[in-house]
Amino acid sequence: MLRGILSYWIFPIISGVVWLGTLLGLLIYWCTDEHRRHYSSMDEHQTIAYISDVGASTLKPLFIAGCSVTTVFLDLSFGADRWLRHKGRLVPNTTVTEKVLSGMTIVFAIIGTCGLILLSIFDTARHSKLHNIFLLLFIAGYVISAIFICWEYQRLGMRYRDHRVLRISFWVKLAFVIVEIILAVAFASCSYTKRYNPAAVLEWTIAFIFSFYVFSFWIDLYPAVRTKGTGGYRGNKGMNEHMGQMREEQGIAGSDRTLMGEGHAAAHGYDQRSSYYSGNGYSGEQAGDGDEPPEWAEGDGAS
């Protein structure tokens, strides 16, 4: 039973748990074991340590390991999303633009990965300039990656309006982009004006919010559990395209209105088509209760 449930959605869960655990470990260690110690890398008037200040001391191995595991599994989540859409286990990318957006999402995620791993290695105590460059690379890489994936999901959501998960994921990731950009600008401003305590608080906040962004990929990957061992959406590609053409001809392309309900399908003896609709998010009554089933339904074994 567990084997049937476990799937690619475990990647963002592992990534998010490791990242959250790393942050909490560093914060608790600094507050309890170190008793809010003032590190050599901190400004003389600074009383709140940056993540990198704590990560540059005794717990540097934990910091490097946490950053590495987090980003590797997050990148696996991006790769799994692309693979599952390619195989039809998730609603597929059907246009070149969507595939390009998906590719750019992965590219900038890898850039962010390099930034986070390298900033943990080149710590702020010994390599201050390099550390700041890699910090910028990390934040910019993942924020731009999130922008591309929002763009991709917005296009997918317009085509597959019956899949609520796409809308939910889009709004979650869009909220992350907006909030993180605002906080990143505030963080840069405080750092530039040497207001280090507010900057440190903002850095911890940005990092904790990032963990929720990581967890949000569970929303995207979990639906693949339901298509495991089936033809997925690829098997119905021709049907989807045909229905899209019918909707365009009727002037209701992309609307939530449906062409056929389960009750009407059962009355005419084509239950297999009914299961197709219910499995792909279509429900409701056909426009016109007395309409005959379309020719493609009759030709498919309807009585």
Side-chain angles (χ1 to χ4, degrees), residues 142-252:
Y142 276 113
V143 167
I144 295 174
S145 175
I147 290 172
F148 278 118
I149 202 170
C150 281
W151 192 353
E152 177 195 356
Y153 281 18
Q154 186 264 344
R155 294 180 66 88
L156 284 170
M158 290 177 64
R159 180 173 294 103
Y160 302 100
R161 288 182 179 269
D162 297 316
H163 291 264
R164 293 179 62 250
V165 67
L166 291 171
R167 294 197 299 274
I168 294 171
S169 183
F170 167 76
W171 286 112
V172 168
K173 290 172 175 58
L174 181 63
F176 165 79
V177 170
I178 294 172
V179 171
E180 290 289 67
I181 288 177
I182 293 172
L183 292 178
V185 170
F187 168 74
S189 175
C190 288
S191 298
Y192 182 76
T193 56
K194 299 183 179 181
R195 299 172 62 192
Y196 296 115
N197 283 333
V201 172
L202 287 168
E203 185 189 49
W204 284 98
T205 304
I206 290 170
F208 277 111
I209 291 176
F210 181 68
S211 65
F212 293 103
Y213 172 69
V214 174
F215 283 126
S216 76
F217 285 92
W218 175 86
I219 301 173
D220 307 324
L221 298 177
Y222 187 78
V225 172
R226 292 192 286 269
T227 57
K228 191 173 185 179
T230 68
Y233 296 96
R234 287 294 182 192
N236 299 316
K237 182 179 179 182
M239 182 76 72
N240 288 334
E241 291 176 349
H242 179 73
M243 291 184 63
Q245 292 172 0
M246 292 178 66
R247 289 186 172 191
E248 290 176 357
E249 291 171 359
Q250 296 183 28
I252 56 171

Side-chain angles (χ1 to χ4, degrees), residues 83-103:
W83 173 252
L84 291 170
R85 295 195 190 284
H86 173 70
K87 299 298 289 185
R89 294 276 303 280
L90 297 173
V91 289
N93 299 117
T94 57
T95 67
V96 174
T97 301
E98 290 170 359
K99 293 176 182 178
V100 169
L101 290 173
S102 178

Side-chain angles (χ1 to χ4, degrees), residues 18-33 54 59 62 204 208:
V18 169
W19 180 244
L20 202 56
T22 300
L23 293 177
L24 289 174
L26 293 173
L27 183 60
I28 293 171
Y29 175 78
W30 179 66
C31 291
T32 58
D33 290 36
V54 185
L59 294 185
L62 171 66
W204 284 98
F208 277 111

Side-chain angles (χ1 to χ4, degrees), residues 71 107-117 134 137-142:
T71 52
V107 168
F108 279 96
I110 293 173
I111 292 173
T113 292
C114 294
L116 184 56
I117 294 175
F134 294 136
L137 201 65
F138 161 59
I139 295 175
Y142 276 113

